[in-house]
Amino acid sequence: MLLGRDGADGVILQCAGPASQSAALVARTARAAPPGARIAATLAGVTALGARPADLPEQAEAVLAAGATDLRLYHAGLASPGDHDAMRAMVTAFG
């Protein structure tokens, strides 16, 4: 067993798709995970890598509602000033 007794205490998911697709991935994982497992949803936040930072609040809301316990942003170190603004707004809203 990957999660649970003597296994990992959580999983990190790459949620690069639209909010509905990301939420579905988190929901499937949450249903399969044992109680108390951490589920970190990694949201894309860099325009140059194909992300849509303006969609971050919608994605964050969707994955949290689907069972994510943590949010991560990929990759803040590569983000433009505009991307950082969008990330900051999402963190402020859901922080």
Side-chain angles (χ1 to χ4, degrees), residues 1-9:
M1 172 184 261
L2 175 65
L3 291 171
R5 186 169 172 82
D6 300 320
D9 65 353

Side-chain angles (χ1 to χ4, degrees), residues 45-47 53 76 78-89:
V46 179
T47 303
L78 301 174
S80 70
D83 294 341
H84 279 142
D85 290 343
M87 290 181 194
R88 188 175 299 107

Side-chain angles (χ1 to χ4, degrees), residues 53-84:
D55 294 344
L56 285 172
E58 178 188 3
Q59 287 182 303
E61 185 174 356
V63 297
L64 289 170
T69 59
D70 301 77
L71 295 175
R72 294 176 180 221
L73 294 169
Y74 184 86
H75 181 287
L78 301 174
S80 70
D83 294 341
H84 279 142

Side-chain angles (χ1 to χ4, degrees), residues 1-30:
M1 172 184 261
L2 175 65
L3 291 171
R5 186 169 172 82
D6 300 320
D9 65 353
V11 62
I12 299 171
L13 301 174
Q14 181 63 31
C15 297
S20 60
Q21 181 182 351
S22 296
L25 173 62
V26 170
R28 280 193 313 273
T29 304

